[in-house]
């Protein structure tokens, strides 16, 4: 009898028992790993949060403390004056007028958003030389602000570029565009509109191009014109981007500094909130009052952002 026949004769009882399976990981270990899993993301965020607290939140706390004193920035002693600095900001006319200047830039920012939205909508369709126009409109944002300031100094000077263009159009008068208090802020706000319209246009254009094309095709089949497509398709779809641009425009109108500081230095009634703060701190050595001005600026921006979020809550847009 062969070995194979012996195995068949003995049957299943002769088969060697299988080795026992390795014991599974205890449930206790699984629960422990799950319990500590929430801590892992904070390990990666530890360094960025430390930098954020060190260079953002701690200076804000110090600024709040300085705003309640009359510190000059150099003296080792600081006298507590309470809310006197804040009272001066809202009661002294020469300090309060910067809010009126910010209103001019605020109005110009909405013109800027409207122009950017118009160009983004037009260039999102099949328009001749649209890539060329995109580059032309976005180019001012790439230019250094100091260079823009010096270029527009010649543009607005009496007998300069603007007056020459107006003479070609039949207007032969000359205006003190940067010397007249009634015109200087409108002129400077126009420079800001020219510079930042391209940035908003790119934001809007990117959002518009993410809209599925079949929505336009369906609207065209229903007889919708361009305005109706914008009203019922484009505007609702890019609502979050419009909301973001509004927040940036409002905060930017309050924090204008570069263009007016280079072109006028705040003269002739063109002093903005930030220019005033810088002058109070570094020219008149009133760091306490300047800190109060900065706190007010921060509070206004946060308040405006909160109001905007309440009036226009963020919604998830479904494109299908």
């Amino acid at each position: 009898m062969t070995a194979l026949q012996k195995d068949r004769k003995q049957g299943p009882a002769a088969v060697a028992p299988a080795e026992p399976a390795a014991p599974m990981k205890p449930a206790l270990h699984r629960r422990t790993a799950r319990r500590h899993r929430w801590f892992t993301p904070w390990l990666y965020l530890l360094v960025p949060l430390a930098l954020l607290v060190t260079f953002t939140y701690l200076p804000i706390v110090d600024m709040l403390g300085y705003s309640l004193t009359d510190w000059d920035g150099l003296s080792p002693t600081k006298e507590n004056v309470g809310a006197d600095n804040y009272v001066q900001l809202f009661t002294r006319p020469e300090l309060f007028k910067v809010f009126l200047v910010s209103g001019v830039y605020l109005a110009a920012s909405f013109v800027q958003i409207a122009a950017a939205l118009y160009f983004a909508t037009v260039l999102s369709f099949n328009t001749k030389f649209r890539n060329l126009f995109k580059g032309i409109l976005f180019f001012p944002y790439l230019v250094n602000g100091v260079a823009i300031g010096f270029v527009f100094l010649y543009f607005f000077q009496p007998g300069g570029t603007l007056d020459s263009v107006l003479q070609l159009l039949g207007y032969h008068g000359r205006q003190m565009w940067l010397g007249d208090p009634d015109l200087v802020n409108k002129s400077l706000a126009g420079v800001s509109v020219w510079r930042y319209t391209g940035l908003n246009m790119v934001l809007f254009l990117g959002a518009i191009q993410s809209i599925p094309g079949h929505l336009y095709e369906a609207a065209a089949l229903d007889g919708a014109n361009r305005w109706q497509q914008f009203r019922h398709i484009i505007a609702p779809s890019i609502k979050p981007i419009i909301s973001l641009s509004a927040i940036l425009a409002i905060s930017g109108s309050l924090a204008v500094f570069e263009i007016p500081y280079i072109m006028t230095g705040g003269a002739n009634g063109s002093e903005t909130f930030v220019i005033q703060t810088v002058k109070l701190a570094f020219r008149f050595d009133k760091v306490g009052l300047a800190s109060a001005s900065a706190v007010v600026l921060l509070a206004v921006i946060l308040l405006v952002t909160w109001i905007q979020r309440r009036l226009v809550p963020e919604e998830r847009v479904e494109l299908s």
Side-chain angles (χ1 to χ4, degrees):
M1 182 180 296
T2 63
L4 180 59
Q5 292 173 340
K6 289 180 180 180
D7 292 341
R8 290 178 177 175
K9 186 176 181 181
Q10 290 176 357
V15 178
E19 295 182 1
M24 298 180 63
K25 187 177 181 180
L28 178 61
H29 291 177
R30 291 197 299 270
R31 288 196 298 269
T32 304
R34 193 180 304 112
R35 189 182 304 116
H36 292 287
R37 192 177 301 165
W38 68 270
F39 187 74
T40 303
W42 293 100
L43 293 176
Y44 296 97
L45 294 174
L46 185 61
V47 173
L49 288 176
L51 294 175
L52 181 65
V53 171
T54 303
F55 295 103
T56 301
Y57 295 117
L58 290 181
I60 289 177
V61 173
D62 289 339
M63 185 176 63
L64 289 171
Y66 295 150
S67 68
L68 302 176
T69 68
D70 63 348
W71 190 41
D72 60 0
L74 299 173
S75 175
T77 59
K78 299 183 286 289
E79 182 180 352
N80 192 349
V81 296
D84 182 65
N85 290 328
Y86 295 95
V87 174
Q88 291 188 53
L89 288 176
F90 291 99
T91 56
R92 291 173 57 181
E94 67 273 16
L95 298 179
F96 185 78
K97 67 180 182 181
V98 295
F99 289 99
L100 302 178
V101 175
S102 298
V104 177
Y105 288 95
L106 180 61
S109 66
F110 288 107
V111 174
Q112 169 187 310
I113 292 176
L117 191 57
Y118 170 78
F119 288 122
T121 303
V122 171
L123 296 178
S124 64
F125 296 104
N126 291 326
T127 306
K128 290 183 178 180
F129 307 110
R130 61 176 180 175
N131 290 329
L132 174 63
F133 289 124
K134 290 177 186 178
I136 292 174
L137 291 170
F138 186 68
F139 176 75
Y141 179 72
L142 302 177
V143 181
N144 182 269
V146 177
I148 290 176
F150 282 109
V151 167
F152 276 92
L153 277 176
Y154 292 99
F155 182 80
F156 285 120
Q157 71 179 359
T161 305
L162 181 58
D163 286 339
S164 300
V165 172
L166 292 177
Q167 288 179 5
L168 293 176
L169 298 177
Y171 179 78
H172 297 284
R174 291 189 177 185
Q175 296 287 345
M176 298 292 293
W177 300 103
L178 299 180
D180 188 347
D182 295 330
L183 295 176
V184 60
N185 290 313
K186 299 180 181 64
S187 302
L188 296 175
V191 177
S192 296
V193 171
W194 176 82
R195 183 183 183 189
Y196 291 105
T197 296
L199 175 62
N200 286 276
M201 181 202 68
V202 170
L203 295 175
F204 293 144
L205 193 60
I208 293 173
Q209 290 179 345
S210 66
I211 301 175
H214 65 82
L215 295 179
Y216 297 112
E217 296 174 1
L221 291 175
D222 291 336
N225 54 30
R226 293 300 190 194
W227 164 248
Q228 292 171 332
Q229 291 179 17
F230 171 80
R231 179 181 177 184
H232 298 288
I233 298 177
I234 296 177
S237 300
I238 66 172
K239 186 177 178 181
I241 304 300
I242 296 176
S243 177
L244 173 63
S245 297
I247 294 176
L248 295 177
I250 294 172
S251 61
S253 65
L254 295 171
V256 174
F257 173 73
E258 194 175 33
I259 296 298
Y261 187 78
I262 293 170
M263 295 182 64
T264 64
N268 301 323
S270 63
E271 191 171 75
T272 63
F273 214 107
V274 180
I275 292 177
Q276 174 181 270
T277 302
V278 171
K279 285 185 176 181
L280 288 174
F282 300 106
R283 181 178 298 180
F284 302 110
D285 296 330
K286 295 183 178 181
V287 176
L289 187 59
S291 299
S293 178
V295 171
V296 170
L297 176 61
L298 177 62
V300 170
I301 292 176
L302 293 177
L303 178 62
V304 169
T305 303
W306 180 80
I307 293 175
Q308 190 273 339
R309 287 296 186 183
R310 298 290 295 180
L311 296 178
V312 187
E314 185 175 350
E315 300 177 357
R316 184 177 179 85
V317 178
E318 297 292 343
L319 300 176
S320 59

